[in-house]
Amino acid sequence: MRTGDETVIFPEGPDKPPVIVEALCSGEAICVKKCPYKVIRIVNLPEELESDTSHRYSVNGFKLFRLPIPKDGQVLGLIGPNGVGKTTAVRILAGELSPNLGRFDDPPEWDEIITAYRGSELQPFFEKIQAGSLVPILKPQNITDLPKVKDLADRPISDLLESSDSSGRLNELKDDMSLNEIWDRPIKFLSGGELQRVAVTAAIVREGDIYFFDEPTAYLDVRERLRMARAIRKLSSLGKTVVVVEHDLSILDYVSDLVCMFYGDPGVYGIVSHPHGTRVGVNIFLDGFIPDENMRFRDTAISFKGMTADDEEYLSREAMVEYGDMKKSFEDFTLEIKGSRVSKGQIVGILGANGIGKTTFVRMLAGDLEPDEGEAPKKTVTGLELKISYKPQYIPADFEGSLRMYLRAAGGNTIDSADFRTSVINRLGLENLMDHMVPDLSGGELQRAAIAACLAREADIYLFDEPSAFLDIEQRLVSSRAIRRHVRNNMKTAFIVEHSILMADYLSDSLVVFGGIPGRSGSASSVRTLRNGMNTFLKEMGVTFRRDPQTGRPRVNKDGSKLDQQQKASGEYYYVGKV
Ligand code: ADP
Ligand code: ADP
Ligand code: MG
C-alpha cells in the first residue's frame, strides 16, 4: 500500500481523465474499485515483456509488444480482436509510423530504432524501408474517409485507378473486381463494398515490393471476398511480399502462408505471437491456446463437428413451419423464392451476393414486407400462431435509454435469468455496457446489443440479417456460438445471413442459396442440406473446400492444387465426408 506519494494524479483537473504513475502502482487495483466511472483498468504484465515494447501512444495509453515479421515472397496473415494493435503494427511496418519503443515522450531516432532491432530480421527490414529500397504499398483499414479527400470525391474511379496503375495490372483486375459497371462513377457515390474494391485495386495496381491490406473484405459479400482472396494470392505468385489483416477465417486461411496472432486487452495492450504455418495457426486461434508461448487467450475452444451424412438428420425432426413459393418485385428488381419446410432446432444459413434479395426475403419472413405472390408463414405446422424475432441488417440506434432498458423492452424478465446472463449477455461482452445509453454505443456494441435483444424475445423463428457486420473475429465467434446454443437448446429455428464460409459452416446445418444478377433479379433456393447448398454455390464460384483433419473446419483448396483438381472432377466442391 502506498502512502504519501500519489499513484493516481489529475494533472488536468479533477474532471479530466487521471494519470496513473505506473512506477508507484502496486498493481492491487485500488483505484479501479474507487473509480466511479469504471474507466480505470490495471493490468499486470510479465516483466520480461517490457524490453519487447515496440510502441506506446501516450502515458497510460495503448502499448504494443513485439512486431510481426514479414517473410520475403510470402503472405503473412494477422488475426486478433479489435483494439490490440494490428493496424498499429501494419502502419509501423509500412513506414507510416515510427515505433517509439515505448518512449512516447522522448521518441528515438531511426538509427536508434534500427539498433534496438539488431539481431532480428526487422533490422534489415527497417533499413531497407528507410533507404527506399523496399517500397511499401498500404490499403488502409479505414476507407470511408476516401470520398472526403478533396479533389478525389468528384473524380471517376477510372481516373484514380488509371493514374495508380504503375504495374499494368489494372486491365486484368477490372473484371475480377467487377469494376466495369462503376467505371465512370465518381468516388463520392460509391457504396462501402464498391469503395473497398476500388481501394484494394488501387493498391494492387501500384508497383511495389511489400503490400499491406488492412481488413480488405470489410463490406464485401461472400463472392467478392473469394475474388479478393484470389487477387491477393496472385500478387504473391508474382513474388511480392504481402501482409493481410483479416477477420474472415476462411479468407485468412486461403490467402496466408503464415499467421501471427494478436492478443491482449483491447485498448490497453497487445502482444504479437510468433508466426505459425497457416493451418496450425488458424487451429491454434480457434483453440484459444498458443502452446509455444503457454498462453491461453480465450477460455473456450471453437470446435467444428466435421459434417458427415448425418447433416441430413434434421429432415426427420419435428417440423416447425412451412412456407410456399413467394415473389416480390420492386421497380428494378424481381425476387423469386422456393417454398420449404424447416424443423425444430434447425439453423438455416443464407448465402448470396449483395443486392440479390437476401434482406427482402428475411423481411418477408418477418412479416415486415408483403410478398406480391404467395404468402409468408403465419402459423406453425401444428396451427399455433407463429412468433418471430428479427434482427434487421441496419439497426436503429434511436432507443432512448440504457442497454439494460433496451434488452428489458425486448425480453422482459428473461434477461435476468442466470442462463441468459451467462450464455448471452456475458458471452457477448455486454455486462459492463448495461448502463450505457443505446445511442452512445459503437457499431460493434450496437450489433451485439441487437443480437442479445433478438435472442431475448420469446419466439419460434429467429431471423438474423448479417449479425457479423462490424464485429471482429473474436466477437463473431462468440456471437455465433451464443446464437447456435440458444436456438438448438430451445429447439427453435433460425435463419442467418452470413458472408463467411467458415462461419456459415459453424452456425448452420442447412442453407438457402441465392442466385441471379445483383440489383436486377434474384432467386432463393429451397432449404437445402449444408453440403448440397455449398456445392451449388461453390461450383458457380469455381472454388473447392476440404476439411481439416484435426478440427473438421472447412479449408479452401489452393487453385489448381491436387485436391482442387480431384474435387472439381468428382463434382464434390464441398467435402463433407468423414474426417
Ligand atoms: P486494431 O487494428 O487491432 O483494432 P489499432 O492498432 O487500431 O488496433 O489500435 C490499438 C489501440 O491503439 C486502440 O486502443 C486505439 O484506440 C489506440 N490507437 C490507435 N491509433 C492511435 C493514435 N494515433 N493515438 C492514440 N491511440 C491510438
Ligand atoms: P441483399 O440483402 O441481398 O443485399 P436486398 O434484398 O437488400 O439485397 O435488395 C435487393 C435489391 O432490391 C436491391 O437492388 C435493392 O436496391 C432493391 N430493393 C430493396 N428494397 C427495395 C425497396 N423497398 N424499393 C425498391 N428497391 C428495393
Ligand atoms: Mg485495425
Side-chain angles (χ1 to χ4, degrees):
M1 184 72 199
R2 301 266 161 199
T3 49
D5 299 333
E6 289 288 344
T7 310
V8 182
I9 53 177
F10 293 84
E12 291 176 49
D15 52 351
K16 289 278 180 338
V19 167
I20 296 161
V21 184
E22 293 178 11
L24 298 180
C25 177
S26 64
E28 286 164 39
I30 298 155
C31 53
V32 177
K33 292 184 201 111
K34 283 200 175 163
C35 173
Y37 304 106
K38 298 189 185 155
V39 294
I40 300 182
R41 311 273 311 277
I42 301 284
V43 176
N44 295 304
L45 289 168
E47 263 174 39
E48 62 269 22
L49 263 180
E50 278 310 310
S51 59
D52 290 343
T53 306
S54 44
H55 195 72
R56 187 161 208 186
Y57 282 107
S58 61
V59 59
N60 303 149
F62 175 81
K63 204 169 186 180
L64 178 65
F65 298 100
R66 307 193 199 136
L67 282 172
I69 304 175
K71 286 267 183 302
D72 267 358
Q74 303 215 310
V75 182
L76 173 64
L78 307 181
I79 178 92
N82 283 340
V84 291
K86 300 181 301 299
T87 295
T88 302
V90 161
R91 293 185 58 222
I92 289 173
L93 294 174
E96 265 203 4
L97 179 71
S98 306
N100 61 24
L101 312 175
R103 288 158 38 194
F104 49 88
D105 46 358
D106 167 32
E109 298 289 324
W110 262 110
D111 49 355
E112 210 182 324
I113 296 168
I114 286 169
T115 315
Y117 286 103
R118 199 171 36 205
S120 129
E121 289 157 76
L122 284 171
Q123 181 192 10
F125 180 85
F126 282 133
E127 276 171 354
K128 284 186 215 158
I129 291 272
Q130 282 311 301
S133 59
L134 197 64
V135 176
I137 310 267
L138 167 66
K139 195 296 290 177
Q141 175 178 355
N142 195 348
I143 50 165
T144 47
D145 288 341
L146 214 61
K148 291 180 209 145
V149 178
K150 224 172 148 267
D151 305 329
L152 208 56
D154 296 308
R155 285 168 62 190
I157 69 159
S158 52
D159 217 34
L160 169 78
L161 292 176
E162 274 162 4
S163 63
S164 306
D165 187 22
S166 49
S167 68
R169 289 191 276 270
L170 180 57
N171 243 338
E172 191 185 342
L173 271 170
K174 240 164 109 175
D175 281 333
D176 292 353
M177 294 287 190
S178 326
L179 297 173
N180 290 308
E181 294 111 74
I182 54 170
W183 197 237
D184 299 313
R185 206 169 294 174
I187 304 228
K188 64 180 174 196
F189 292 143
L190 299 186
S191 71
E194 290 164 346
L195 210 50
Q196 188 70 269
R197 270 148 45 208
V198 168
V200 170
T201 306
I204 296 180
V205 299
R206 280 158 67 203
E207 190 53 34
D209 302 299
I210 176 164
Y211 292 77
F212 297 88
F213 299 96
D214 197 348
E215 306 202 6
T217 67
Y219 307 107
L220 297 189
D221 67 38
V222 56
R223 287 190 324 169
E224 295 166 332
R225 290 182 190 189
L226 286 164
R227 290 207 193 115
M228 172 77 64
R230 276 215 183 119
I232 293 175
R233 254 343 282 183
K234 226 183 236 173
L235 201 52
S236 130
S237 69
L238 297 173
K240 306 294 185 188
T241 306
V242 181
V243 177
V244 183
V245 178
E246 180 54 54
H247 290 294
D248 180 330
L249 279 180
S250 287
I251 299 302
L252 179 91
D253 191 34
Y254 184 24
V255 298
S256 313
D257 298 302
L258 295 164
V259 171
C260 278
M261 270 148 276
F262 281 63
Y263 57 92
D265 198 340
V268 182
Y269 73 96
I271 302 171
V272 187
S273 82
H274 300 300
H276 293 271
T278 301
R279 188 184 80 84
V280 172
V282 172
N283 287 354
I284 288 176
F285 180 74
L286 290 170
D287 201 27
F289 178 72
I290 310 176
D292 56 321
E293 299 175 33
N294 193 23
M295 178 70 215
R296 176 159 287 289
F297 58 87
R298 188 187 323 108
D299 63 2
T300 47
I302 303 293
S303 60
F304 286 75
K305 48 226 175 260
M307 284 281 169
T308 63
D310 305 342
D311 67 336
E312 292 169 30
E313 172 211 315
Y314 66 84
L315 289 174
S316 58
R317 278 195 229 141
E318 198 184 333
M320 170 75 88
V321 70
E322 229 168 8
Y323 58 92
D325 294 354
M326 292 184 269
K327 282 190 181 171
K328 180 82 197 172
S329 300
F330 298 118
E331 219 167 298
D332 306 311
F333 184 80
T334 55
L335 176 63
E336 287 188 25
I337 288 154
K338 277 255 173 302
S340 257
R341 151 192 282 250
V342 281
S343 310
K344 293 186 175 171
Q346 186 173 358
I347 303 183
V348 184
I350 298 176
L351 214 55
N354 282 339
I356 202 96
K358 300 183 301 301
T359 293
T360 307
F361 170 53
V362 172
R363 286 184 62 203
M364 290 201 289
L365 286 182
D368 200 30
L369 193 69
E370 281 299 316
D372 301 335
E373 283 177 42
E375 220 182 309
K378 301 276 188 300
K379 293 210 176 337
T380 68
V381 278
T382 50
L384 299 172
E385 192 202 338
L386 187 68
K387 284 175 287 176
I388 292 174
S389 180
Y390 168 45
K391 187 213 74 77
Q393 178 175 5
Y394 300 104
I395 309 157
D398 53 4
F399 184 86
E400 283 179 33
S402 66
L403 174 58
R404 191 185 309 282
M405 291 156 74
Y406 176 72
L407 294 180
R408 198 173 296 288
N413 292 338
T414 306
I415 71 162
D416 301 318
S417 81
D419 182 57
F420 193 81
R421 282 213 313 265
T422 42
S423 67
V424 178
I425 295 178
N426 295 355
R427 275 261 173 266
L428 294 179
L430 295 173
E431 68 274 25
N432 289 330
L433 298 172
M434 293 299 271
D435 296 316
H436 289 217
M437 301 307 271
V438 171
D440 297 340
L441 299 179
S442 72
E445 290 166 350
L446 191 63
Q447 184 70 272
R448 285 177 283 139
I451 292 170
C454 185
L455 289 175
R457 272 180 228 118
E458 169 65 29
D460 305 305
I461 300 188
Y462 291 84
L463 305 170
F464 294 92
D465 198 346
E466 305 207 12
S468 339
F470 305 111
L471 299 188
D472 66 29
I473 176 62
E474 206 52 65
Q475 296 164 344
R476 288 180 195 184
L477 288 170
V478 294
S479 58
S480 296
R481 196 156 175 273
I483 292 172
R484 190 169 100 157
R485 188 175 173 278
H486 189 86
V487 173
R488 291 255 168 88
N489 286 2
N490 298 304
M491 291 305 273
K492 307 296 189 181
T493 296
F495 286 81
I496 303 169
V497 179
E498 176 58 59
H499 288 299
S500 160
I501 300 274
L502 180 123
M503 217 52 93
D505 182 274
Y506 175 72
L507 266 170
S508 42
D509 43 42
S510 43
L511 286 181
V512 166
V513 177
F514 275 73
I517 305 167
R520 234 178 283 163
S521 63
S523 63
S525 74
S526 57
V527 174
R528 314 265 196 91
T529 62
L530 189 66
R531 168 191 198 158
N532 186 309
M534 284 287 190
N535 249 334
T536 311
F537 179 76
L538 294 173
K539 194 165 188 173
E540 199 201 304
M541 292 295 307
V543 173
T544 59
F545 274 71
R546 66 187 181 284
R547 286 209 179 257
D548 176 50
Q550 197 184 334
T551 60
R553 72 182 164 90
R555 302 195 67 198
V556 194
N557 291 319
K558 301 259 176 325
D559 258 337
S561 67
K562 201 167 149 207
L563 269 178
D564 184 52
Q565 292 178 17
Q566 274 174 6
Q567 286 182 230
K568 279 177 180 163
S570 66
E572 195 162 22
Y573 283 73
Y574 204 67
Y575 181 73
V576 292
K578 250 197 154 39
V579 294

